Amino acid sequence: MSEDNIDKKKGFWGTTLTRLKSVLAKTKEQVQDPEELAQGAETAAAGAESQTAAASQPEPVKAAAATSVATAHKPVDEEYIEALEERLIKADLGLPTVEPLVEALRQEARGKNWTGKDVDDFLKKRFHDLLGKTANALSFKEGQVNIYMVVGVNGVGKTTSIGKLAARLKSQGKRVLLAAGDTFRAAAESQLEIWSERAGVDIVRLPDGSDPGAVVFQAVKKARDEKYDVLLIDTAGRLHNKVNLMDELKKIRGVIEKHAGDLPMESLLVLDASTGQNGLQQAKVFQEATGLTGVILTKLDGTAKGGVVFAISRELNIPVKLMGIGEKLDDLRDFDPNLFVEALF
């Protein structure tokens, strides 16, 4: 990505590339060669000593660009490739993604004097191919109620993501309505109500233990009658067993299709990036029940398993649309595949 293109990502994004580099630091350790990263860190640290205190936290540099001559020319042999394969698996790209990737690398590097820089370039191209180069933004149609049904297991940051998304849409001038559809957990309803107040948006909430379908029905009716732009629906993340949960979500989806089938709708799965391949299995189950149209990836900061993004894209063909990169209200950002890949190198 050129510097000009990166500069264009500022504004709402602010310094998102820098933030992503920080957030994905542990995943980057798995993707790149440890010796190169160590050399890069030493070079960056040496350069920082000559800078002022204000510049004491330089933006991470590409490992290959910061390596010594000896490290930069480390041969890409079978030992190197096997070590890379192990790191990619630890980063949770998943075997179905890693195996063909590594085999393609073997074929491409065979008979060539490749170095770590060549491998970086190869991985960047392949990662771009996996994710695509165009961001998959949330769909939105003016003049209609846009419904976003948000699903996910408890503890992934589902309600928080809904609150942050509501605040973001409200800041864009949209009229937003929340539906407290997780009626099996009073704490979830209360948390969503707090978020509605914080974001300055309205909420439909019925007494604890009410039928989630009734909540959704009333919310759809209110959104239509009062001409809201957005209806964000929270849903249960845990019932007595997986079958009960999936049946409940199918029921909610049925209420939406029956009473708002003419309205634009997205089904968004919130995934905790730190769960890695477990998150991929969650996605498969929710896909069957709700027909997912996108993923909101949370808790990227602090995990070495950010590679699950590639597994989701390759195995499920579901685009990651939003990502959480911190705790602040505006830390729910559009997922940009170019920036994501750039941040890994």
Side-chain angles (χ1 to χ4, degrees), residues 140-174:
F140 181 85
K141 293 186 178 180
E142 295 286 352
Q144 297 188 64
V145 180
N146 292 265
I147 299 175
Y148 304 106
M149 177 181 173
V150 185
V151 301
V153 300
N154 289 348
V156 296
K158 175 162 52 76
T159 305
T160 299
S161 295
I162 291 172
K164 289 181 177 180
L165 181 55
R168 173 177 166 178
L169 292 167
K170 172 72 181 298
S171 72
Q172 295 171 354
K174 310 287 194 301

Side-chain angles (χ1 to χ4, degrees), residues 22-324:
S22 175
V23 163
L24 293 174
K26 291 186 178 181
T27 300
K28 178 178 177 179
E29 290 172 7
Q30 303 299 340
V31 172
Q32 291 195 284
D33 182 71
E35 291 183 22
E36 292 184 3
L37 284 171
Q39 285 287 343
E42 290 173 8
T43 303
E49 289 177 1
S50 65
Q51 302 297 320
T52 64
S56 61
Q57 295 181 335
E59 181 176 315
V61 295
K62 294 180 182 179
T67 56
S68 65
V69 173
T71 305
H73 288 82
K74 182 179 179 180
V76 178
D77 53 16
E78 186 59 25
E79 181 182 356
Y80 183 105
I81 291 175
E82 287 180 0
L84 172 64
E85 181 175 19
E86 182 179 345
R87 293 198 308 274
L88 292 177
I89 291 171
K90 286 182 178 179
D92 259 351
L93 275 76
L95 279 174
T97 301
V98 172
E99 288 181 341
L101 183 67
V102 170
E103 185 55 35
L105 172 61
R106 283 194 179 96
Q107 297 297 326
E108 191 72 23
R110 183 168 294 154
K112 302 175 184 176
N113 295 320
W114 270 28
T115 65
K117 182 181 183 305
D118 296 306
V119 174
D120 282 356
D121 292 341
F122 173 86
L123 289 177
K124 285 179 75 170
K125 182 180 184 304
R126 291 297 174 132
F127 287 169
H128 277 304
D129 290 343
L130 283 170
L131 294 182
K133 296 185 178 181
T134 304
N136 289 282
L138 284 180
S139 63
F140 181 85
K141 293 186 178 180
E142 295 286 352
Q144 297 188 64
V145 180
N146 292 265
I147 299 175
Y148 304 106
M149 177 181 173
V150 185
V151 301
V153 300
N154 289 348
V156 296
K158 175 162 52 76
T159 305
T160 299
S161 295
I162 291 172
K164 289 181 177 180
L165 181 55
R168 173 177 166 178
L169 292 167
K170 172 72 181 298
S171 72
Q172 295 171 354
K174 310 287 194 301
R175 289 196 70 213
V176 180
L177 179 65
L178 305 184
D182 188 358
T183 60
F184 300 96
R185 204 164 55 97
E189 295 177 284
S190 298
Q191 185 184 8
L192 192 67
E193 192 156 22
I194 291 170
W195 271 108
S196 74
E197 294 171 358
R198 186 176 177 188
V201 301
D202 297 326
I203 185 171
V204 172
R205 178 183 180 183
L206 298 184
D208 296 345
S210 297
D211 178 15
V215 176
V216 173
F217 172 77
Q218 290 202 19
V220 168
K221 187 175 186 305
K222 181 178 176 68
R224 277 188 184 277
D225 293 346
E226 300 181 27
K227 301 189 185 310
Y228 283 85
D229 299 304
V230 172
L231 171 59
L232 279 166
I233 301 173
D234 193 11
T235 58
R238 180 172 66 86
L239 293 179
H240 298 300
N241 58 53
K242 184 177 73 175
V243 174
N244 284 353
L245 174 58
M246 293 305 120
D247 286 347
E248 193 60 50
L249 294 177
K250 289 176 183 177
K251 179 180 175 182
I252 291 175
R253 175 89 189 205
V255 170
I256 297 171
E257 291 175 350
K258 180 177 180 180
H259 299 284
D262 59 319
L263 297 176
M265 175 189 168
E266 288 225 43
S267 181
L268 304 171
L269 173 66
V270 181
L271 275 185
D272 177 346
S274 67
T275 61
Q277 290 298 299
N278 287 334
L280 182 64
Q281 296 308 312
Q282 291 172 27
K284 291 179 179 178
V285 174
F286 280 100
Q287 168 76 318
E288 292 175 6
T290 65
L292 299 174
T293 59
V295 169
I296 301 174
L297 198 64
T298 64
K299 306 182 184 181
L300 270 170
D301 46 324
T303 181
K305 298 182 177 182
V308 71
V309 168
F310 301 103
I312 292 169
S313 179
R314 182 186 184 280
E315 295 186 42
L316 298 181
N317 197 28
I318 302 172
V320 177
K321 296 199 171 187
L322 297 165
M323 60 182 177

